Amino acid sequence: MSRTTRKTIAGVEFEAHPVVFPTSAALLVAFVAATAAAPRRALMLFDWLQEGVAQNFGWLYVASMTGFLVFAVYLGFSRHGGVRLGPDDSRPEFPTSAWLAMLFSAGMGIGMLFFGVAEPMWHYLTPPGGQGGTTAAARDAMGLTLFHWCLHPWSLYALVALSLAYFGYRKGLPLSFRSAFYPLIGERVHGRLGDAIDVLAVLATLFGLATSLGLGAKQVNAGLNHVFGLPEGTGVQVALIAVITAMAVGSLLSGLDVGIRRLSEANMVIAGGLLVFLFVAGPTRFLLEGLVSNVGAYLQRLPSNALRTGAYDGEQVSQWLGSWTIFYWGWWIAWSPFVGMFIARVSKGRTIREFLLGVLLTPSAVAVVWMTGFGGAALHQEIHGRVDLNPDAAADAFDYSARAYPVQRLDEATGLPLAAGGKWLVAPDAEGVATPVGVRLRRDGDRLVTASGVPVEYRRGVLVRTADAAPVPLTEEDRYGGPYAADQAELTLGGYLSEPVLSDDRTARRDTTATALFVMLDAYPLSTLTALLGTLSVVLFFVTSSDSASMVADIIASGGREDPALGTRLFWGVLEGALAAVLLVAGGLKALQTGSITIGLPFCVLVILMCVSLHKALREESRTAKAPKIAPATAPSEAAAAPETAAARSSA
């Protein structure tokens, strides 16, 4: 039974589940407070958790994700394919074009824009096996990129969404995660066990989204810096989060049909326009040939990549798998509550076969074209920027010459950057954290010592005291905020990604992954306009992801209500922006990202059980449909009647 509490505060109506809402909010606030109070300790803890998950449960992620794909294909072609996600006479709420635009914008749009240039380049430069920078490495790089973004993640999202929509719309249970487990645990879905499932879903949704907001803010800041010279920094990114969160809340309050739908459709036009521009203005023949070749590389290696755990590979391959494939699988699983619930919400009335074909094939096809356009253009730029071209070659029309950037000068013995003047070594107090403090260091034999004389070393990405492994308490003498020693270096796109490139004032290292898109566009005509359109597209993906996740959190935390009260929508929308901003300022973005991957582990088990539950319910429905008609006075079986009984209680 779905229990909710309604209250009106300052004229705004709130509706919430009495257990899920306060528990989720309290845990989230506690996590934020702890991370803000001790960001370096949090980073060490989450690095330890991430390493443990990758080393001990990578096999589970690999086997599960491939199993989800096999199960989704089976359902699509099975006798259950004609079952509607709703009553037999129901029809889709949204046109197919709007439906596809919404599920793609809410799913991976911002990630594909962020990694579309950078990921193929990284695989090209540092492949899991063999030599980087070769033709074979380029082909394998595109195949690996498509492996991470095509069928596997969308089969996961499809199964989570299918389970939620089937039990919510066809069986009449609340549109909540607990409902998907009714065939397995029965009435206990309405008790504490069901509450725990929903709380975990809310937390995973918000953890995943906050990381996305942080990445989005970084790329928007990078785009505005590239076009207008807006400074890059945490303060600017927090301001961008505030502005874009306000836009997301406005979109959320305007409703699903007006806000999210219209923004998703507009964004598909802008992003699609950028993609067409690259195919037309860029190396057209190379990209079209690459489109065919990339699909071949993806399909050729799909069986081996899908089941690759690194058991018989060397250390380099195992590390690559942990950094890329296993990282992605854990990330997608952590995101599955958000994307799955949103897709379920907009998919009522479609048949299982239509639903699975749409969710599996359409976004995967878009990913193939998208990654070929952006990743292929980047690879072409890198390849032709490093060799002498034939003067008659078509690629000679592009300005692929290397550009000069300030690059950190590193100490040969330690690999640490040098301060301007070369007197001090400079190291961040927590590697990978959003706002690290620069620390003055000097070499004392084989040891590193702070300016105040404390021996230190890095452990789990954090600068700690050698004596007790505690994060270093810095004095004013230890802190360094000036420019780094740097050399001007002519870099291709690959060099820009892999070298320690500095900001214009040389006081911070650039996030080159966030800027790679704009650096690549510089080689094409109308680079300022395309950079602005790229930034606008990131903003719109940012907004649609934010309000989609707010809606998902609203639905779960209000007991499965499809149209929660205005106050709860406002609460989650504002909290998401505040969460991302606080963690960015506190330096906890890395900890949050790792935390969301770790949350993927229990959710992986939940999704497996969800698939078992769905299959059991579909088989029972099939048997009931095939059973001979009996007299009306005869009661239906308990298994077939249970969900409808629960629905009657819910609506009573």
Side-chain angles (χ1 to χ4, degrees), residues 188-219:
R188 283 183 292 174
V189 298
H190 305 299
R192 291 292 179 256
L193 184 56
D195 293 341
I197 292 172
D198 280 351
V199 167
L200 187 60
V202 172
L203 293 178
T205 297
L206 295 176
F207 282 176
L209 178 69
T211 302
S212 177
L213 297 185
L215 293 175
K218 282 177 172 289
Q219 193 166 31

PDB file of all heavy atoms in Angstrom, residues 188-219:
ATOM      1  N   ARG A 188       5.637  -7.773   1.431  1.00  0.00           N
ATOM      2  CA  ARG A 188       6.726  -7.078   2.114  1.00  0.00           C
ATOM      3  C   ARG A 188       7.240  -5.877   1.313  1.00  0.00           C
ATOM      4  O   ARG A 188       8.009  -5.070   1.844  1.00  0.00           O
ATOM      5  CB  ARG A 188       7.871  -8.053   2.394  1.00  0.00           C
ATOM      6  CG  ARG A 188       7.584  -8.985   3.580  1.00  0.00           C
ATOM      7  CD  ARG A 188       8.768  -9.880   3.857  1.00  0.00           C
ATOM      8  NE  ARG A 188       8.971 -10.854   2.775  1.00  0.00           N
ATOM      9  CZ  ARG A 188      10.011 -11.684   2.701  1.00  0.00           C
ATOM     10  NH1 ARG A 188      10.954 -11.636   3.626  1.00  0.00           N
ATOM     11  NH2 ARG A 188      10.103 -12.546   1.703  1.00  0.00           N
ATOM     12  N   VAL A 189       6.836  -5.758   0.056  1.00  0.00           N
ATOM     13  CA  VAL A 189       7.227  -4.554  -0.692  1.00  0.00           C
ATOM     14  C   VAL A 189       6.631  -3.303  -0.055  1.00  0.00           C
ATOM     15  O   VAL A 189       7.130  -2.197  -0.266  1.00  0.00           O
ATOM     16  CB  VAL A 189       6.795  -4.629  -2.172  1.00  0.00           C
ATOM     17  CG1 VAL A 189       7.461  -5.783  -2.876  1.00  0.00           C
ATOM     18  CG2 VAL A 189       5.289  -4.693  -2.323  1.00  0.00           C
ATOM     19  N   HIS A 190       5.569  -3.456   0.724  1.00  0.00           N
ATOM     20  CA  HIS A 190       4.941  -2.307   1.368  1.00  0.00           C
ATOM     21  C   HIS A 190       5.498  -2.053   2.763  1.00  0.00           C
ATOM     22  O   HIS A 190       5.039  -1.136   3.452  1.00  0.00           O
ATOM     23  CB  HIS A 190       3.423  -2.519   1.462  1.00  0.00           C
ATOM     24  CG  HIS A 190       2.786  -2.799   0.137  1.00  0.00           C
ATOM     25  ND1 HIS A 190       2.825  -1.908  -0.910  1.00  0.00           N
ATOM     26  CD2 HIS A 190       2.106  -3.887  -0.317  1.00  0.00           C
ATOM     27  CE1 HIS A 190       2.197  -2.423  -1.955  1.00  0.00           C
ATOM     28  NE2 HIS A 190       1.757  -3.623  -1.625  1.00  0.00           N
ATOM     29  N   GLY A 191       6.490  -2.855   3.182  1.00  0.00           N
ATOM     30  CA  GLY A 191       7.074  -2.705   4.509  1.00  0.00           C
ATOM     31  C   GLY A 191       8.467  -2.108   4.465  1.00  0.00           C
ATOM     32  O   GLY A 191       8.857  -1.405   3.520  1.00  0.00           O
ATOM     33  N   ARG A 192       9.240  -2.397   5.505  1.00  0.00           N
ATOM     34  CA  ARG A 192      10.572  -1.813   5.646  1.00  0.00           C
ATOM     35  C   ARG A 192      11.529  -2.262   4.535  1.00  0.00           C
ATOM     36  O   ARG A 192      12.405  -1.488   4.124  1.00  0.00           O
ATOM     37  CB  ARG A 192      11.153  -2.184   7.020  1.00  0.00           C
ATOM     38  CG  ARG A 192      10.419  -1.508   8.173  1.00  0.00           C
ATOM     39  CD  ARG A 192      10.670  -0.003   8.150  1.00  0.00           C
ATOM     40  NE  ARG A 192       9.962   0.673   9.220  1.00  0.00           N
ATOM     41  CZ  ARG A 192       8.863   1.383   9.070  1.00  0.00           C
ATOM     42  NH1 ARG A 192       8.322   1.522   7.855  1.00  0.00           N
ATOM     43  NH2 ARG A 192       8.292   1.972  10.096  1.00  0.00           N
ATOM     44  N   LEU A 193      11.392  -3.486   4.068  1.00  0.00           N
ATOM     45  CA  LEU A 193      12.255  -3.953   2.988  1.00  0.00           C
ATOM     46  C   LEU A 193      12.019  -3.129   1.724  1.00  0.00           C
ATOM     47  O   LEU A 193      12.960  -2.725   1.036  1.00  0.00           O
ATOM     48  CB  LEU A 193      12.006  -5.438   2.715  1.00  0.00           C
ATOM     49  CG  LEU A 193      12.917  -6.104   1.673  1.00  0.00           C
ATOM     50  CD1 LEU A 193      14.383  -5.944   2.051  1.00  0.00           C
ATOM     51  CD2 LEU A 193      12.565  -7.588   1.530  1.00  0.00           C
ATOM     52  N   GLY A 194      10.765  -2.864   1.410  1.00  0.00           N
ATOM     53  CA  GLY A 194      10.453  -2.010   0.271  1.00  0.00           C
ATOM     54  C   GLY A 194      10.954  -0.593   0.470  1.00  0.00           C
ATOM     55  O   GLY A 194      11.442   0.049  -0.481  1.00  0.00           O
ATOM     56  N   ASP A 195      10.844  -0.083   1.712  1.00  0.00           N
ATOM     57  CA  ASP A 195      11.370   1.259   1.999  1.00  0.00           C
ATOM     58  C   ASP A 195      12.873   1.328   1.735  1.00  0.00           C
ATOM     59  O   ASP A 195      13.366   2.306   1.161  1.00  0.00           O
ATOM     60  CB  ASP A 195      11.096   1.632   3.461  1.00  0.00           C
ATOM     61  CG  ASP A 195       9.615   1.814   3.750  1.00  0.00           C
ATOM     62  OD1 ASP A 195       8.840   2.002   2.793  1.00  0.00           O
ATOM     63  OD2 ASP A 195       9.232   1.760   4.936  1.00  0.00           O
ATOM     64  N   ALA A 196      13.610   0.302   2.148  1.00  0.00           N
ATOM     65  CA  ALA A 196      15.060   0.282   1.956  1.00  0.00           C
ATOM     66  C   ALA A 196      15.415   0.286   0.471  1.00  0.00           C
ATOM     67  O   ALA A 196      16.361   0.970   0.049  1.00  0.00           O
ATOM     68  CB  ALA A 196      15.666  -0.940   2.646  1.00  0.00           C
ATOM     69  N   ILE A 197      14.665  -0.452  -0.334  1.00  0.00           N
ATOM     70  CA  ILE A 197      14.917  -0.480  -1.777  1.00  0.00           C
ATOM     71  C   ILE A 197      14.730   0.907  -2.373  1.00  0.00           C
ATOM     72  O   ILE A 197      15.551   1.389  -3.165  1.00  0.00           O
ATOM     73  CB  ILE A 197      13.990  -1.503  -2.457  1.00  0.00           C
ATOM     74  CG1 ILE A 197      14.367  -2.923  -2.044  1.00  0.00           C
ATOM     75  CG2 ILE A 197      14.042  -1.359  -3.974  1.00  0.00           C
ATOM     76  CD1 ILE A 197      13.379  -3.981  -2.513  1.00  0.00           C
ATOM     77  N   ASP A 198      13.660   1.579  -1.985  1.00  0.00           N
ATOM     78  CA  ASP A 198      13.395   2.912  -2.538  1.00  0.00           C
ATOM     79  C   ASP A 198      14.398   3.954  -2.056  1.00  0.00           C
ATOM     80  O   ASP A 198      14.777   4.865  -2.809  1.00  0.00           O
ATOM     81  CB  ASP A 198      11.973   3.345  -2.184  1.00  0.00           C
ATOM     82  CG  ASP A 198      10.933   2.722  -3.101  1.00  0.00           C
ATOM     83  OD1 ASP A 198      11.334   2.101  -4.103  1.00  0.00           O
ATOM     84  OD2 ASP A 198       9.726   2.846  -2.815  1.00  0.00           O
ATOM     85  N   VAL A 199      14.830   3.864  -0.801  1.00  0.00           N
ATOM     86  CA  VAL A 199      15.837   4.796  -0.288  1.00  0.00           C
ATOM     87  C   VAL A 199      17.131   4.659  -1.081  1.00  0.00           C
ATOM     88  O   VAL A 199      17.747   5.659  -1.484  1.00  0.00           O
ATOM     89  CB  VAL A 199      16.089   4.559   1.215  1.00  0.00           C
ATOM     90  CG1 VAL A 199      17.355   5.290   1.671  1.00  0.00           C
ATOM     91  CG2 VAL A 199      14.898   5.039   2.038  1.00  0.00           C
ATOM     92  N   LEU A 200      17.547   3.420  -1.327  1.00  0.00           N
ATOM     93  CA  LEU A 200      18.758   3.197  -2.111  1.00  0.00           C
ATOM     94  C   LEU A 200      18.603   3.764  -3.518  1.00  0.00           C
ATOM     95  O   LEU A 200      19.545   4.329  -4.082  1.00  0.00           O
ATOM     96  CB  LEU A 200      19.074   1.702  -2.167  1.00  0.00           C
ATOM     97  CG  LEU A 200      20.397   1.303  -2.821  1.00  0.00           C
ATOM     98  CD1 LEU A 200      21.574   1.930  -2.090  1.00  0.00           C
ATOM     99  CD2 LEU A 200      20.539  -0.214  -2.858  1.00  0.00           C
ATOM    100  N   ALA A 201      17.418   3.641  -4.098  1.00  0.00           N
ATOM    101  CA  ALA A 201      17.174   4.182  -5.444  1.00  0.00           C
ATOM    102  C   ALA A 201      17.278   5.710  -5.454  1.00  0.00           C
ATOM    103  O   ALA A 201      17.852   6.291  -6.386  1.00  0.00           O
ATOM    104  CB  ALA A 201      15.804   3.734  -5.937  1.00  0.00           C
ATOM    105  N   VAL A 202      16.728   6.364  -4.446  1.00  0.00           N
ATOM    106  CA  VAL A 202      16.810   7.831  -4.377  1.00  0.00           C
ATOM    107  C   VAL A 202      18.256   8.287  -4.241  1.00  0.00           C
ATOM    108  O   VAL A 202      18.708   9.214  -4.931  1.00  0.00           O
ATOM    109  CB  VAL A 202      15.970   8.367  -3.201  1.00  0.00           C
ATOM    110  CG1 VAL A 202      16.211   9.862  -3.003  1.00  0.00           C
ATOM    111  CG2 VAL A 202      14.489   8.116  -3.442  1.00  0.00           C
ATOM    112  N   LEU A 203      19.009   7.634  -3.352  1.00  0.00           N
ATOM    113  CA  LEU A 203      20.400   8.033  -3.146  1.00  0.00           C
ATOM    114  C   LEU A 203      21.233   7.833  -4.404  1.00  0.00           C
ATOM    115  O   LEU A 203      22.033   8.695  -4.783  1.00  0.00           O
ATOM    116  CB  LEU A 203      21.005   7.231  -1.981  1.00  0.00           C
ATOM    117  CG  LEU A 203      20.423   7.516  -0.596  1.00  0.00           C
ATOM    118  CD1 LEU A 203      21.079   6.618   0.443  1.00  0.00           C
ATOM    119  CD2 LEU A 203      20.594   8.976  -0.211  1.00  0.00           C
ATOM    120  N   ALA A 204      21.061   6.695  -5.066  1.00  0.00           N
ATOM    121  CA  ALA A 204      21.823   6.453  -6.293  1.00  0.00           C
ATOM    122  C   ALA A 204      21.472   7.485  -7.359  1.00  0.00           C
ATOM    123  O   ALA A 204      22.351   7.977  -8.085  1.00  0.00           O
ATOM    124  CB  ALA A 204      21.552   5.041  -6.802  1.00  0.00           C
ATOM    125  N   THR A 205      20.201   7.822  -7.455  1.00  0.00           N
ATOM    126  CA  THR A 205      19.767   8.820  -8.435  1.00  0.00           C
ATOM    127  C   THR A 205      20.446  10.161  -8.186  1.00  0.00           C
ATOM    128  O   THR A 205      20.992  10.787  -9.105  1.00  0.00           O
ATOM    129  CB  THR A 205      18.245   8.997  -8.366  1.00  0.00           C
ATOM    130  OG1 THR A 205      17.616   7.766  -8.727  1.00  0.00           O
ATOM    131  CG2 THR A 205      17.772  10.090  -9.312  1.00  0.00           C
ATOM    132  N   LEU A 206      20.455  10.609  -6.943  1.00  0.00           N
ATOM    133  CA  LEU A 206      21.009  11.918  -6.632  1.00  0.00           C
ATOM    134  C   LEU A 206      22.529  11.921  -6.677  1.00  0.00           C
ATOM    135  O   LEU A 206      23.144  12.915  -7.079  1.00  0.00           O
ATOM    136  CB  LEU A 206      20.510  12.386  -5.267  1.00  0.00           C
ATOM    137  CG  LEU A 206      18.992  12.626  -5.208  1.00  0.00           C
ATOM    138  CD1 LEU A 206      18.564  12.999  -3.795  1.00  0.00           C
ATOM    139  CD2 LEU A 206      18.581  13.722  -6.170  1.00  0.00           C
ATOM    140  N   PHE A 207      23.173  10.823  -6.266  1.00  0.00           N
ATOM    141  CA  PHE A 207      24.627  10.754  -6.358  1.00  0.00           C
ATOM    142  C   PHE A 207      25.059  10.842  -7.815  1.00  0.00           C
ATOM    143  O   PHE A 207      25.980  11.574  -8.165  1.00  0.00           O
ATOM    144  CB  PHE A 207      25.138   9.442  -5.763  1.00  0.00           C
ATOM    145  CG  PHE A 207      25.174   9.421  -4.262  1.00  0.00           C
ATOM    146  CD1 PHE A 207      25.533   8.271  -3.598  1.00  0.00           C
ATOM    147  CD2 PHE A 207      24.851  10.540  -3.528  1.00  0.00           C
ATOM    148  CE1 PHE A 207      25.569   8.238  -2.218  1.00  0.00           C
ATOM    149  CE2 PHE A 207      24.880  10.522  -2.148  1.00  0.00           C
ATOM    150  CZ  PHE A 207      25.247   9.368  -1.485  1.00  0.00           C
ATOM    151  N   GLY A 208      24.415  10.063  -8.654  1.00  0.00           N
ATOM    152  CA  GLY A 208      24.772  10.083 -10.075  1.00  0.00           C
ATOM    153  C   GLY A 208      24.546  11.439 -10.698  1.00  0.00           C
ATOM    154  O   GLY A 208      25.365  11.931 -11.474  1.00  0.00           O
ATOM    155  N   LEU A 209      23.440  12.069 -10.349  1.00  0.00           N
ATOM    156  CA  LEU A 209      23.131  13.367 -10.954  1.00  0.00           C
ATOM    157  C   LEU A 209      24.099  14.450 -10.502  1.00  0.00           C
ATOM    158  O   LEU A 209      24.535  15.275 -11.305  1.00  0.00           O
ATOM    159  CB  LEU A 209      21.709  13.790 -10.604  1.00  0.00           C
ATOM    160  CG  LEU A 209      21.364  15.168 -11.181  1.00  0.00           C
ATOM    161  CD1 LEU A 209      21.273  15.122 -12.684  1.00  0.00           C
ATOM    162  CD2 LEU A 209      20.109  15.721 -10.586  1.00  0.00           C
ATOM    163  N   ALA A 210      24.448  14.463  -9.217  1.00  0.00           N
ATOM    164  CA  ALA A 210      25.343  15.511  -8.721  1.00  0.00           C
ATOM    165  C   ALA A 210      26.685  15.458  -9.440  1.00  0.00           C
ATOM    166  O   ALA A 210      27.274  16.490  -9.760  1.00  0.00           O
ATOM    167  CB  ALA A 210      25.545  15.362  -7.218  1.00  0.00           C
ATOM    168  N   THR A 211      27.173  14.257  -9.720  1.00  0.00           N
ATOM    169  CA  THR A 211      28.412  14.132 -10.479  1.00  0.00           C
ATOM    170  C   THR A 211      28.233  14.687 -11.885  1.00  0.00           C
ATOM    171  O   THR A 211      29.100  15.383 -12.428  1.00  0.00           O
ATOM    172  CB  THR A 211      28.853  12.664 -10.540  1.00  0.00           C
ATOM    173  OG1 THR A 211      29.016  12.184  -9.211  1.00  0.00           O
ATOM    174  CG2 THR A 211      30.162  12.516 -11.282  1.00  0.00           C
ATOM    175  N   SER A 212      27.080  14.383 -12.497  1.00  0.00           N
ATOM    176  CA  SER A 212      26.803  14.904 -13.834  1.00  0.00           C
ATOM    177  C   SER A 212      26.752  16.429 -13.821  1.00  0.00           C
ATOM    178  O   SER A 212      27.258  17.086 -14.734  1.00  0.00           O
ATOM    179  CB  SER A 212      25.473  14.338 -14.348  1.00  0.00           C
ATOM    180  OG  SER A 212      25.149  14.883 -15.598  1.00  0.00           O
ATOM    181  N   LEU A 213      26.142  17.001 -12.796  1.00  0.00           N
ATOM    182  CA  LEU A 213      26.081  18.461 -12.705  1.00  0.00           C
ATOM    183  C   LEU A 213      27.478  19.056 -12.580  1.00  0.00           C
ATOM    184  O   LEU A 213      27.776  20.103 -13.160  1.00  0.00           O
ATOM    185  CB  LEU A 213      25.221  18.884 -11.518  1.00  0.00           C
ATOM    186  CG  LEU A 213      23.744  18.481 -11.544  1.00  0.00           C
ATOM    187  CD1 LEU A 213      23.003  19.072 -10.353  1.00  0.00           C
ATOM    188  CD2 LEU A 213      23.086  18.914 -12.835  1.00  0.00           C
ATOM    189  N   GLY A 214      28.342  18.400 -11.799  1.00  0.00           N
ATOM    190  CA  GLY A 214      29.701  18.886 -11.665  1.00  0.00           C
ATOM    191  C   GLY A 214      30.456  18.844 -12.983  1.00  0.00           C
ATOM    192  O   GLY A 214      31.129  19.802 -13.367  1.00  0.00           O
ATOM    193  N   LEU A 215      30.338  17.718 -13.709  1.00  0.00           N
ATOM    194  CA  LEU A 215      30.993  17.604 -15.013  1.00  0.00           C
ATOM    195  C   LEU A 215      30.423  18.621 -16.000  1.00  0.00           C
ATOM    196  O   LEU A 215      31.152  19.236 -16.779  1.00  0.00           O
ATOM    197  CB  LEU A 215      30.823  16.184 -15.563  1.00  0.00           C
ATOM    198  CG  LEU A 215      31.546  15.067 -14.811  1.00  0.00           C
ATOM    199  CD1 LEU A 215      31.185  13.715 -15.407  1.00  0.00           C
ATOM    200  CD2 LEU A 215      33.048  15.273 -14.829  1.00  0.00           C
ATOM    201  N   GLY A 216      29.086  18.788 -15.977  1.00  0.00           N
ATOM    202  CA  GLY A 216      28.458  19.749 -16.870  1.00  0.00           C
ATOM    203  C   GLY A 216      28.922  21.164 -16.604  1.00  0.00           C
ATOM    204  O   GLY A 216      29.197  21.933 -17.539  1.00  0.00           O
ATOM    205  N   ALA A 217      29.031  21.519 -15.320  1.00  0.00           N
ATOM    206  CA  ALA A 217      29.495  22.864 -14.972  1.00  0.00           C
ATOM    207  C   ALA A 217      30.921  23.090 -15.453  1.00  0.00           C
ATOM    208  O   ALA A 217      31.270  24.175 -15.943  1.00  0.00           O
ATOM    209  CB  ALA A 217      29.411  23.070 -13.462  1.00  0.00           C
ATOM    210  N   LYS A 218      31.761  22.062 -15.337  1.00  0.00           N
ATOM    211  CA  LYS A 218      33.135  22.187 -15.809  1.00  0.00           C
ATOM    212  C   LYS A 218      33.180  22.425 -17.318  1.00  0.00           C
ATOM    213  O   LYS A 218      33.943  23.262 -17.810  1.00  0.00           O
ATOM    214  CB  LYS A 218      33.926  20.921 -15.452  1.00  0.00           C
ATOM    215  CG  LYS A 218      34.373  20.833 -14.008  1.00  0.00           C
ATOM    216  CD  LYS A 218      35.080  19.519 -13.755  1.00  0.00           C
ATOM    217  CE  LYS A 218      35.701  19.495 -12.367  1.00  0.00           C
ATOM    218  NZ  LYS A 218      36.868  20.395 -12.262  1.00  0.00           N
ATOM    219  N   GLN A 219      32.336  21.693 -18.078  1.00  0.00           N
ATOM    220  CA  GLN A 219      32.394  21.849 -19.527  1.00  0.00           C
ATOM    221  C   GLN A 219      31.774  23.167 -19.975  1.00  0.00           C
ATOM    222  O   GLN A 219      32.254  23.787 -20.923  1.00  0.00           O
ATOM    223  CB  GLN A 219      31.714  20.673 -20.224  1.00  0.00           C
ATOM    224  CG  GLN A 219      32.031  20.623 -21.709  1.00  0.00           C
ATOM    225  CD  GLN A 219      31.658  19.322 -22.361  1.00  0.00           C
ATOM    226  OE1 GLN A 219      30.709  18.663 -21.956  1.00  0.00           O
ATOM    227  NE2 GLN A 219      32.391  18.933 -23.397  1.00  0.00           N
TER     228      GLN A 219
END
